[in-house]
Amino acid sequence: MASFSSLLYEEQLQCSICLDVFTDPVSTPCGHNFCKICLKDFWDNSSHYQCPMCIADFPKRPDLCVNTFISELSAQFKMSAQVKSSSAADQPSYLKPKGVLCDSCTKEKLEALRSCLDCGVSLCITHLMPHKSTAKLNKHKLIEPVENLEDYICQKHERPLELFCRDDQMCVCQFCILGDHKNHTNVRMEEESQEKKSHLVETQKHVQKMIQNRQHKIEELKQSAELNKKHTDKEKTESVKMFSALMRCIERSQVDLLKVIEEKQKATERQTELFIQELEQEINELKKKNNEMEQLLHTQDHIKFLQSYPFLHGPLHNNNWNNLRNKSDLRMETLRRALCQLQESLNEEIKKLPETELKIFQQYAVEVTLDPDTANPKLMLSNNRKQVRYSNKRQNVPDNPERFKRCVNVLGKEGFSSGRFYYDVQVRGKTAWDLGVARESINRKGEIMFSPKNGYWILMLRNKTEYKACESPLVPLRLKQAPQKVGVFVDYEGGLVSFYDVEAKSHIYSFTGQTFTEKLYPFFSPCLSNGGKNSAPLIIMSIEHYFPTEASFTE
């Protein structure tokens, strides 16, 4: 029998476009064969679709499928060409045998093109021909060539594994379903594979979505880190300014103190010199008098002695120098006075810290608007979603899951899950209100108890003067004056929620050491109107100039 390679000629397996052996051969409706890429390029550069060989026109671009038989012939021809020219030094790598080898080749083993599960062997294109031409062999199960064929054959019945038992989740053969798997749900392997591929596609979509979410989170963290770096630089600058002011205050006090001490020292030195001069003068006078008295004591002239005695025995200088001393105690008093002045100056600077802190926090100001889908039906929002007040008239709104049902609350439209943010609210003219932030999963339908444990970080006012932080239990707050505008600052990663009196530039209260795991939303409650005494709205300030926006209410 002549070898297969001797029956084939290159011209029979040659593409008429590239004039080379077929690569991924496809067939046109008119029956001619071309390389897939060659025909695609030909049609891409043509105004209509026709066969390059017979110029037959097609009404639309035909769908092209690789002709597997011709592809196999082309591959085997390339194999044969490789065997003949194996001694060539510049032999292309694609012609070298690779993968699974044919079990039927006796001399030079060629690469297998298919594996037969019924025969239990792998076959090259030459030895595969009987499976293409013999009717009996046509029914055999052919698969892509594999090395471990025993994995594809039932070890018990030595038959191809063609079915899948869903009860035992395993591959079985035709005889298995007549025995151990008789009453089980058995389906074609292709059917089960297709179904599991469908499930896998859904799982893959989920995995891809998880990847996208994590990539988005990485970008979000990078942006947050970059933003935090910018804000940290600003905070460092403000901190340096603050401490520089304190240092200048101390340095000025030091200079002033040294100057006062030096001036007092010079005054003391001048006074001491005067005292010394006066003392030396008295000493000279006393010495002169002492000499005169000495001479008089030794005189024998009684008349002269008696006449001079009244002048020498007269009163001496009566200056008391015993209490004269250095005024170090006065200098210590000066030091104490200077230190007291310094302490007062530092206290004044320290009082400015909340103002500096608030100024830093306002750099994180965000635009906050109210979310009408969360507003209690008895709350009325302004057209620009910046103001909210209580209304006795119930609004006709749907009872969606996000809406507060019993309590007159409303959330901000914007939620935050990272970084820092600040906003402030005008509370002028109100006798009761609730402000702060709340996590996304809070209870919105039943009775609400404000506390960090329940997802609320709230500051409240009751009865016009009773301010409380909603810890558990409540923390009463004593404020020097009633805030007209309240600033709210949140550091998500830092676990901080702080409240400030914006106009007084003073700190009110802070929730510290918190752990946030959900998105946080600004929280507002104007409370009940109390017979009109508390009818003023809560007004969210604009981040541009921190003043109320013009707004109107519609019933």
Side-chain angles (χ1 to χ4, degrees):
M1 179 179 176
S3 68
F4 181 79
S5 59
S6 64
L7 300 177
L8 292 175
Y9 298 96
E10 184 173 0
E11 290 80 4
Q12 296 173 296
L13 301 173
Q14 190 178 72
C15 172
S16 60
I17 297 177
C18 66
L19 302 180
D20 201 351
V21 177
F22 289 121
T23 301
D24 293 333
V26 293
S27 300
T28 60
C30 56
H32 294 106
N33 301 304
F34 306 91
C35 294
K36 184 176 182 179
I37 187 66
C38 294
L39 188 57
K40 179 180 180 300
D41 290 343
F42 179 81
W43 281 344
D44 287 345
N45 295 310
S46 177
S47 59
H48 56 284
Y49 308 118
Q50 59 181 201
C51 174
M53 181 71 73
C54 65
I55 317 299
D57 288 319
F58 309 117
K60 65 176 184 177
R61 187 164 185 158
D63 295 328
L64 300 177
C65 296
V66 175
N67 189 317
T68 56
F69 184 70
I70 297 178
S71 179
E72 291 168 0
L73 293 177
S74 301
Q76 184 57 36
F77 182 85
K78 292 177 180 179
M79 289 276 189
S80 301
Q82 178 266 329
V83 172
K84 293 180 181 179
S85 59
S86 59
S87 60
D90 57 346
Q91 182 181 21
S93 60
Y94 74 87
L95 293 178
K96 298 178 182 178
K98 55 184 177 180
V100 181
L101 300 180
C102 177
D103 293 322
S104 298
C105 290
T106 55
K107 295 182 179 179
E108 187 73 30
K109 285 191 174 293
L110 301 179
E111 184 176 355
L113 193 64
R114 289 287 186 274
S115 292
C116 179
L117 295 181
D118 294 271
C119 300
V121 293
S122 298
L123 303 169
C124 65
I125 187 65
T126 303
H127 296 103
L128 186 63
M129 286 303 296
H131 283 74
K132 299 287 187 179
S133 56
T134 306
K136 183 179 179 180
L137 297 179
N138 267 336
K139 298 179 181 179
H140 284 196
K141 180 71 173 181
L142 298 176
I143 62 172
E144 292 293 325
V146 293
E147 291 185 357
N148 301 319
L149 267 173
E150 60 272 13
D151 295 340
Y152 296 80
I153 298 174
C154 176
Q155 299 302 308
K156 183 177 181 180
H157 303 107
E158 296 185 352
R159 299 298 300 166
L161 296 171
E162 298 179 307
L163 303 170
F164 186 82
C165 176
R166 288 180 172 172
D167 296 60
D168 296 330
Q169 290 292 298
M170 61 182 295
C171 298
V172 296
C173 71
Q174 290 286 358
F175 292 105
C176 289
I177 63 175
L178 300 176
D180 297 339
H181 302 271
K182 183 176 181 180
N183 296 320
H184 294 183
T185 302
N186 300 292
V187 297
R188 298 289 299 175
M189 194 179 298
E190 291 81 358
E191 179 183 343
E192 183 66 19
S193 178
Q194 188 62 38
E195 183 174 334
K196 280 184 164 45
K197 281 183 179 180
S198 299
H199 293 162
L200 192 60
V201 167
E202 294 302 317
T203 303
Q204 184 183 27
K205 289 180 181 178
H206 180 66
V207 170
Q208 290 173 348
K209 186 176 180 180
M210 291 175 65
I211 292 172
Q212 291 176 354
N213 290 339
R214 281 150 180 76
Q215 289 174 337
H216 177 72
K217 190 63 177 179
I218 289 174
E219 291 302 317
E220 187 179 276
L221 290 173
K222 286 181 178 179
Q223 292 175 3
S224 177
E226 183 65 27
L227 185 61
N228 284 338
K229 183 178 181 302
K230 292 179 180 179
H231 290 318
T232 299
D233 291 340
K234 291 182 180 179
E235 291 180 9
K236 286 166 63 177
T237 301
E238 293 296 330
S239 298
V240 169
K241 288 181 180 179
M242 179 182 65
F243 279 100
S244 296
L246 292 176
M247 292 298 294
R248 286 194 298 271
C249 180
I250 294 173
E251 289 171 357
R252 284 195 304 269
S253 297
Q254 181 184 26
V255 170
D256 293 342
L257 175 61
L258 293 177
K259 184 178 180 181
V260 170
I261 292 175
E262 288 177 359
E263 289 177 352
K264 289 186 176 293
Q265 175 64 25
K266 290 179 181 179
T268 302
E269 289 175 355
R270 287 194 299 270
Q271 189 177 35
T272 301
E273 289 177 0
L274 292 174
F275 288 153
I276 291 173
Q277 289 176 6
E278 189 175 347
L279 286 168
E280 287 177 344
Q281 184 178 354
E282 289 186 9
I283 289 171
N284 290 333
E285 292 178 359
L286 290 171
K287 282 182 177 181
K288 181 181 179 182
K289 194 164 189 176
N290 182 64
N291 290 334
E292 290 176 354
M293 292 172 69
E294 185 69 26
Q295 292 176 5
L296 187 61
L297 285 172
H298 290 88
T299 183
Q300 298 297 322
D301 188 343
H302 300 293
I303 295 175
K304 184 178 180 180
F305 176 81
L306 293 173
Q307 290 176 344
S308 301
Y309 178 78
F311 298 102
L312 297 177
H313 188 262
L316 302 174
H317 288 281
N318 199 24
N319 292 336
N320 185 5
W321 298 97
N322 292 330
N323 294 329
L324 182 64
R325 59 179 58 90
N326 289 331
K327 297 182 178 179
S328 59
D329 55 340
L330 296 178
R331 288 197 295 272
M332 291 304 297
E333 180 62 29
T334 302
L335 176 59
R336 283 194 294 271
R337 190 182 304 113
L339 290 177
C340 287
Q341 291 176 350
L342 173 60
Q343 185 175 6
E344 291 177 2
S345 299
L346 290 178
N347 288 338
E348 289 299 321
E349 292 294 334
I350 290 173
K351 288 179 181 178
K352 297 178 182 178
L353 289 181
E355 178 180 353
T356 303
E357 189 176 48
L358 181 60
K359 183 179 179 182
I360 293 173
F361 289 163
Q362 286 176 340
Q363 296 175 358
Y364 300 93
V366 294
E367 196 71 64
V368 174
T369 56
L370 300 170
D371 185 359
D373 292 334
T374 65
N376 179 276
K378 287 196 173 183
L379 290 182
M380 186 177 296
L381 309 185
S382 63
N383 295 334
N384 62 358
R385 304 291 186 258
K386 284 287 189 176
Q387 303 184 24
V388 56
R389 65 177 174 86
Y390 179 80
S391 172
N392 289 321
K393 181 180 179 182
R394 185 181 181 88
Q395 310 297 310
N396 185 19
V397 291
D399 184 19
N400 49 287
E402 299 83 10
R403 191 177 306 284
F404 288 96
K405 187 172 183 179
R406 294 187 60 181
C407 300
V408 288
N409 305 330
V410 61
L411 297 180
K413 184 72 173 178
E414 301 78 12
F416 303 89
S417 57
S418 63
R420 302 170 180 175
F421 63 94
Y422 170 90
Y423 63 95
D424 52 28
V425 184
Q426 180 176 299
V427 296
R428 193 184 309 276
K430 297 195 65 60
T431 61
W433 47 256
D434 302 325
L435 291 175
V437 292
R439 68 186 179 207
E440 189 171 20
S441 62
I442 54 173
N443 171 32
R444 309 188 188 196
K445 299 302 179 182
E447 194 68 30
I448 294 177
M449 298 294 293
F450 292 150
S451 73
K453 181 180 178 181
N454 295 332
Y456 294 89
W457 292 265
I458 302 298
L459 191 71
M460 66 162 55
L461 168 66
R462 293 294 183 271
N463 302 321
K464 196 173 182 178
T465 59
E466 298 175 8
Y467 295 91
K468 297 177 182 179
C470 296
E471 297 271 16
S472 184
L474 295 174
V475 178
L477 304 175
R478 294 182 179 179
L479 305 184
K480 293 181 178 180
Q481 61 187 33
Q484 302 301 305
K485 192 185 300 181
V486 176
V488 183
F489 172 76
V490 177
D491 183 348
Y492 193 96
E493 286 76 15
L496 174 68
V497 180
S498 292
F499 298 86
Y500 290 84
D501 183 336
V502 177
E503 293 184 354
K505 296 180 175 60
S506 60
H507 176 255
I508 299 176
Y509 188 79
S510 288
F511 294 89
T512 60
Q514 307 298 307
T515 300
F516 303 126
T517 57
E518 299 180 26
K519 186 174 287 189
L520 298 179
Y521 288 86
F523 177 94
F524 309 87
S525 175
C527 296
L528 303 180
S529 63
N530 191 21
K533 296 179 181 179
N534 190 40
S535 60
L538 291 176
I539 305 175
I540 304 171
M541 310 309 290
S542 169
I543 66 171
E544 296 178 357
H545 304 291
Y546 298 102
F547 58 84
T549 57
E550 293 295 332
S552 60
F553 290 94
T554 55
E555 293 288 347

